[in-house]
Amino acid sequence: MVQIQPSPQRTGGDQFTIKWPSRKFSGLRGKGKSLIWSLAMAGSTGVFAEIIDGDVFKYYADGEWKKSSSGKSVAIINPTTRKTQYKVQACTQEEVNKVMEIAKSAQKLWAKTPLWKRAELLHKAAAILKEHKAPIAECLVKEIAKPAKDAVTEVVRSGDLVSYCAEEGVRILGEGKFLVSDSFPGNERTKYCLTSKIPLGVVLAIPPFNYPVNLAVSKIAPALIAGNSLVLKPPTQGAVAALHMVHCFHLAGFPKGLISCVTGKGSEIGDFLTMHPAVNCISFTGGDTGIAISKKAGMIPLQMELGGKDACIVLEDADLDLVAANIVKGGFSYSGQRCTAVKVVLVMESIADTLVGKVKAKVAKLTVGPPENDCDITPVVSESSANFIEGLVMDAKQKGATFCQEYKREGNLIWPLLLDNVRPDMRIAWEEPFGPVLPVIRISSVEEGIHHCNASNFGLQGCVFTADINKAMLISDAMETGTVQINSAPARGPDHFPFQGLKDSGIGSQGITNSITMMTKIKSTVINLPTPSYTMG
Ligand code: NAP
């Protein structure tokens, strides 16, 4: 059973650690249900008590947890129970204005804080985040139905990202360039140019529901180490996990107003935030919303990580056991709700039957059920998402795709489904289901596979499986995607690797180093000498 125990290391107030649930956790009735409710709120006790008021979580501004003057809240629906799990404040435009004003002045002081001190605070936040991984992971389980173990992994990975970012920042921001003028025709050595990286100002971070902690810190940490202030608008599903994470930064002791977190529906406060004149940079991860934001944002640097339709090209000489394992892991982890999930398999006709057979056998072994039980396939994030996925499945059925399993759905829970003999006239061949449904298109040449990959509006990642590295390199160069993985499924991590999408998949590049650089601007100081500097002696 779940156990809540006083933590051996109390940091003030009652602090608890939660031991992870056994398989008995789901399906409890009566008293069991109230146990689930108290557990759901368990993360909001002890050190997190101040972030909640009654049953509504507060927003974070000016170094304090606050109630919105709107008097309104936004409900967060548990994807498994389809009932309200949490509530967050619906912040007003006036509150956003105030947050921006404070963020602006806090940034001015922060930019003058020595780099090593900024790094020190980030390391502290990382340690606090990892220390409180259990209650934060609990929120991820309840808000976005992330399997329990993966939820813990997300928080730990986030702590590691913050620490790595602090170290990388110290290295890359500690260096600038020195240029001399006489390398350019017509110049003597009379000008010395010194360049360094300076912060942009206020960075607005908007992450998506599927990694509300990790994709928030991947924006927060680079922004802060580079001397910016940060305003976070978390996804509604995932907001409570994000608020807990923000509290870890609060506990670390960052200056007031440097980090803020405003909650509310993106459709209601999103435009006001993204078009706010105080915002100097937007780092967004999500779907097509990002395309709309890019058109409205104005003349500020944008980092956009958007959707994908990652293709997996399989050649005749590939190790089909390796391919099948990667397709199942890549296509069905977190029920396919990953930007870098394998979203279409393009396999040579001659090996397609064997590969489909192997994948089918592995799909049969996937466990399906609630996230508390750590099942492989858990409910998708919302009913509308489940309906969208079902629409793609029905379209494929009507147009004659081969169903390798029976289509089954209960509420938001969709059983894993492999669709063979998918053709380009089916929606699933092009659209991102963001669910546990994977299409297989049989191809008669590698060129056909590359053509399908490149005909997509998306260009996030892709992968190719072959024993021939020379061929793999040619295919990698031909695929119009930000990254190509050879003999492995697409993946965003490790978090310091460059990560970028072409076409509708994004603008700019993420990854720790690239994000720090993106959130800075080059500043030059030129020393002008009256005579060329090498004339003495
Ligand atoms: P989404 O619907 O685009 O939402 C992303 C974020 O935008 C949420 O925080 C959302 O808030 C907010 N938002 C909504 N409307 C807004 C507006 N008008 N202005 C500003 N912000 C607004 O995406 P999602 O459903 O959360 O995530 C799934 C998508 O993200 C998929 O397409 C997936 O491929 C993509 N993704 C990409 C990457 C990558 O790195 N390339 C990584 C992960 C996911 P609310 O929740 O309040 O609506």
Side-chain angles (χ1 to χ4, degrees):
M1 279 303 293
V2 179
Q3 292 174 357
I4 301 180
Q5 300 178 331
S7 163
Q9 298 161 314
R10 282 168 193 258
T11 54
D14 287 323
Q15 188 183 317
F16 296 98
T17 52
I18 296 180
K19 283 202 174 166
W20 272 101
S22 75
R23 285 175 187 265
K24 287 181 196 153
F25 188 61
S26 65
L28 291 173
R29 287 162 204 277
K31 275 186 187 166
K33 270 193 180 161
S34 56
L35 171 65
I36 289 178
W37 174 252
S38 58
L39 282 170
M41 290 312 203
S44 328
T45 58
V47 80
F48 292 106
E50 65 180 296
I51 77 170
I52 192 164
D53 176 66
D55 64 346
V56 186
F57 282 86
K58 298 183 198 165
Y59 76 102
Y60 185 65
D62 203 12
E64 286 170 20
W65 291 95
K66 299 184 178 196
K67 277 163 67 174
S68 169
S69 61
S70 71
K72 292 186 193 152
S73 63
V74 179
I76 296 170
I77 310 296
N78 181 322
T80 311
T81 63
R82 294 194 289 157
K83 299 213 164 75
T84 298
Q85 181 74 41
Y86 304 120
K87 288 177 196 161
V88 292
Q89 309 287 329
C91 290
T92 64
Q93 295 190 350
E94 289 68 36
E95 282 155 355
V96 169
N97 281 336
K98 189 84 189 135
V99 155
M100 293 296 176
E101 197 185 303
I102 296 166
K104 254 180 120 101
S105 48
Q107 190 271 327
K108 302 269 183 251
L109 286 176
W110 181 242
K112 293 176 184 155
T113 304
L115 188 49
W116 66 266
K117 275 197 185 170
R118 290 185 226 156
E120 206 172 73
L121 277 172
L122 282 169
H123 281 302
K124 202 168 165 194
I128 297 171
L129 190 60
K130 283 174 151 185
E131 185 189 339
H132 296 294
K133 60 182 182 289
I136 302 174
E138 175 80 14
C139 300
L140 293 172
V141 170
K142 301 295 177 202
E143 284 183 288
I144 58 165
K146 184 158 279 193
K149 270 192 199 148
D150 294 350
V152 175
T153 304
E154 176 173 345
V155 184
V156 174
R157 171 184 178 183
S158 300
D160 291 339
L161 191 159
V162 174
S163 291
Y164 196 106
C165 199
E167 286 168 22
E168 186 70 351
V170 165
R171 279 193 288 269
I172 66 170
L173 297 167
E175 282 182 358
K177 268 192 174 178
F178 168 60
L179 293 89
V180 288
S181 51
D182 65 333
S183 55
F184 199 87
N187 283 272
E188 295 289 345
R189 192 179 285 236
T190 50
K191 291 174 188 288
Y192 284 173
C193 178
L194 306 170
T195 75
S196 61
K197 293 191 179 88
I198 57 165
L200 297 175
V202 179
V203 175
L204 172 65
I206 307 182
F209 82 84
N210 59 348
Y211 290 90
V213 174
N214 183 263
L215 285 171
V217 300
S218 74
K219 303 171 190 318
I220 296 172
L224 296 183
I225 193 69
N228 300 288
S229 58
L230 187 121
V231 177
L232 173 69
K233 185 341 237 166
T236 295
Q237 298 290 140
V240 174
L243 290 168
H244 280 71
M245 174 273 295
V246 167
H247 193 54
C248 296
F249 282 79
H250 169 80
L251 294 173
F254 281 90
K256 278 185 172 192
L258 189 70
I259 308 165
S260 324
C261 184
V262 288
T263 50
K265 283 190 184 161
S267 54
E268 285 169 17
I269 55 163
D271 283 355
F272 191 72
L273 278 161
T274 53
M275 293 194 282
H276 201 286
V279 171
N280 302 111
C281 168
I282 301 175
S283 178
F284 175 92
T285 308
D288 288 351
T289 320
I291 297 175
I293 293 173
S294 324
K295 289 179 181 151
K296 294 181 224 164
M299 219 176 80
I300 54 170
L302 300 177
Q303 186 179 48
M304 293 280 158
E305 292 295 346
L306 312 182
K309 185 72 184 171
D310 294 8
C312 171
I313 299 181
V314 189
L315 306 196
E316 279 121 336
D317 61 354
D319 172 347
L320 295 188
D321 289 317
L322 177 76
V323 183
N326 272 277
I327 286 176
V328 173
K329 186 165 172 275
F332 295 102
S333 296
Y334 187 34
S335 309
Q337 298 173 113
R338 293 165 51 247
C339 54
T340 52
V342 169
K343 294 195 182 116
V344 57
V345 177
L346 301 158
V347 56
M348 293 296 286
E349 176 70 61
S350 60
I351 50 163
D353 283 344
T354 316
L355 180 65
V356 167
K358 285 178 188 286
V359 174
K360 214 173 138 179
K362 286 187 182 295
V363 168
K365 290 186 186 149
L366 294 174
T367 55
V368 181
E372 290 84 356
N373 288 5
D374 216 21
C375 290
D376 299 313
I377 304 295
T378 56
V380 296
V381 72
S382 65
E383 190 170 347
S384 64
S385 179
N387 291 344
F388 174 77
I389 297 162
E390 186 164 293
L392 294 180
V393 171
M394 291 308 140
D395 174 77
K397 186 173 189 177
Q398 197 200 336
K399 291 174 183 160
T402 307
F403 280 50
C404 298
Q405 297 82 17
E406 192 192 337
Y407 173 66
K408 196 172 161 195
R409 170 182 171 185
E410 275 173 21
N412 296 354
L413 187 60
I414 294 177
W415 269 249
L417 180 62
L418 188 70
L419 297 173
D420 195 4
N421 295 303
V422 164
R423 291 189 320 269
D425 63 327
M426 300 175 190
R427 287 175 57 202
I428 192 87
W430 305 103
E431 294 181 42
E432 186 186 27
F434 233 58
V437 179
L438 183 58
V440 176
I441 298 180
R442 294 168 175 237
I443 52 174
S444 50
S445 68
V446 179
E447 287 74 16
E448 194 185 333
I450 292 168
H451 175 77
H452 185 93
C453 167
N454 293 352
S456 170
N457 289 339
F458 293 118
L460 192 58
Q461 288 210 355
C463 61
V464 54
F465 285 86
T466 171
D468 184 341
I469 187 66
N470 300 327
K471 247 191 231 168
M473 291 307 296
L474 294 182
I475 294 167
S476 171
D477 276 2
M479 287 171 84
E480 292 168 4
T481 59
T483 304
V484 174
Q485 304 269 350
I486 296 172
N487 291 329
S488 187
R492 186 161 53 86
D495 287 323
H496 67 302
F497 279 15
F499 179 61
Q500 54 280 316
L502 306 185
K503 300 187 271 185
D504 285 355
S505 289
I507 302 174
S509 177
Q510 266 195 30
I512 289 171
T513 313
N514 287 347
S515 292
I516 297 172
T517 305
M518 184 267 166
M519 292 176 186
T520 60
K521 203 169 169 81
I522 301 286
K523 166 85 185 260
S524 304
T525 301
V526 181
I527 301 169
N528 289 278
L529 304 170
T531 51
S533 66
Y534 48 52
T535 50
M536 241 182 130

